[in-house]
Amino acid sequence: MLENEVIKLLKSVGIESSEKELESPPRDELGDLSFPCFNLAKDLKRNPNEIALEIGTKIKIPKNSAFEKI
């Protein structure tokens, strides 16, 4: 369920992805799911941290979302 919502949020900012691209962070305090940006970085020839920050600023979490923050 969370995976589907992440995919929808990513799609809302123009990023096509699938559940297999999502990962569980290594520590609980890092969140429930992560979307590594390394593949995007290769394709876009940009720093993955910059891409992640840009995605995070573009995503708007709906009021009825299961997520508190990005």
Side-chain angles (χ1 to χ4, degrees), residues 5-61:
E5 190 165 350
V6 170
I7 291 167
K8 286 180 190 177
L9 289 172
L10 289 169
K11 189 173 186 173
S12 75
V13 295
I15 297 172
E16 296 294 327
S17 64
S18 67
E19 281 188 36
K20 65 182 176 183
E21 293 176 274
L22 303 178
E23 296 181 359
S24 294
R27 297 187 318 266
D28 289 343
E29 64 269 12
L30 296 175
D32 295 315
L33 287 172
S34 66
F35 176 71
C37 294
F38 300 111
N39 288 335
L40 284 176
K42 287 180 191 176
D43 294 342
L44 300 173
K45 296 182 179 23
R46 291 182 49 204
N47 181 303
N49 291 330
E50 291 174 4
I51 294 169
L53 290 171
E54 183 178 321
I55 292 169
T57 60
K58 288 182 178 179
I59 290 178
K60 304 298 181 218
I61 301 173

